[in-house]
Amino acid sequence: MKLHTREWGSGDRVALLVHGIMSDHRTWRRVGPALAERGYRVIGVDLRGHGASGRGAYSVGAFADDLVETVPVGVELAVGHSLGGLALALAVERLAPRRAVYSDPAWALTQAVDPALFMEFRTAGREMITNLNPRWDEADVDVELATLAAWDPRSALSVAGEHALDRTPARAVVPSLVQVARPSFLVSEEMKEELVRRGFEVRTVQGAGHTIHRDDFDGFMKSLEGWL
């Protein structure tokens, strides 16, 4: 499936941004322009079932295939958050970016996720989102409400069970950074050590929640030093 995209900048280098579940390209409202200022043409995708992209036939494999169909091979930088990090990891050999960044990636969970949790969150109001994310700017709360309204919850019904599988990459196919929230419910301290053994660089953003780029934008950007 060809995905809907949003672009920032017109530089010679290309960067790809892949959002997490229940979100879309709008989650990168600060990251896209920041990378454009650094000389990138930035492509933010809407995964299938999210934003303005098409619906149907949901699976993590389909999310990865869509990236390959939509994005040019050999981009300078590819960044995937959460589910986007999983989709990117499954597509990385085919996409062949120069560098990959996995931001608190949803590669493995200790148990299956109840899809009802996602369905319930879709109806979250401003107060609930603000209480869950006290460090977010008001604009990020606005974005969250808009992206939830545009999201097809069937995507969670289709992939939540798959998240119980361990899809942690066996090795870093390209030079790769794993950016970890602290605390993180997806990447344990033991897994950080294992990822280093598998060839990944691991950096932790202290005090940031799962959506690091919205919880601590400055910390997010600082952790990318040397990767941009």
Side-chain angles (χ1 to χ4, degrees), residues 123-132 138-139 141-143 145:
T123 61
R126 178 175 297 275
E127 182 178 0
M128 179 180 175
I129 292 171
T130 301
N131 289 339
L132 288 172
E138 194 70 18
V141 178
D142 292 339
V143 165
L145 289 168

Side-chain angles (χ1 to χ4, degrees), residues 121-210:
F121 191 76
R122 187 172 189 269
T123 61
R126 178 175 297 275
E127 182 178 0
M128 179 180 175
I129 292 171
T130 301
N131 289 339
L132 288 172
N133 305 283
R135 300 178 66 183
W136 284 13
D137 291 343
E138 194 70 18
D140 288 307
V141 178
D142 292 339
V143 165
E144 186 78 353
L145 289 168
T147 56
L148 284 171
W151 169 62
D152 181 359
R154 292 177 300 171
S155 62
L157 292 172
S158 298
V159 305
E162 294 186 43
H163 278 58
L165 300 176
D166 185 350
R167 295 181 181 270
T168 305
R171 62 185 179 89
V173 175
V174 300
S176 301
L177 169 68
V178 179
Q179 192 184 52
V180 184
R182 186 172 179 89
S184 174
F185 62 90
L186 290 171
V187 184
S188 66
E189 294 299 315
E190 294 77 16
M191 179 51 68
K192 287 197 287 187
E193 295 177 3
E194 177 60 27
L195 288 171
V196 171
R197 285 193 289 271
R198 296 184 187 189
F200 295 86
E201 182 171 346
V202 177
R203 296 181 181 177
T204 301
V205 182
Q206 298 290 339
H210 175 54

Side-chain angles (χ1 to χ4, degrees), residues 5 32 37-38 50 110 124 135 141 161 163 166 173 180 213 217:
T5 62
E37 288 178 1
R38 288 163 172 79
H50 299 73
T110 57
R135 300 178 66 183
V141 178
H163 278 58
D166 185 350
V173 175
V180 184
H213 58 280
F217 173 74

Side-chain angles (χ1 to χ4, degrees), residues 1-53:
M1 178 186 293
K2 200 84 167 179
L3 301 175
H4 176 264
T5 62
R6 162 75 157 90
E7 294 193 10
W8 298 266
S10 56
D12 294 332
R13 299 183 298 166
V14 178
L16 167 66
L17 300 177
V18 190
H19 63 82
I21 199 165
M22 301 187 291
S23 193
D24 61 38
H25 74 271
R26 288 172 284 186
T27 190
W28 305 110
R29 68 176 189 88
R30 297 183 70 184
V31 178
L35 294 181
E37 288 178 1
R38 288 163 172 79
Y40 285 94
R41 176 169 69 91
V42 185
I43 303 172
V45 300
D46 291 350
L47 294 173
R48 68 167 63 195
H50 299 73
S53 286

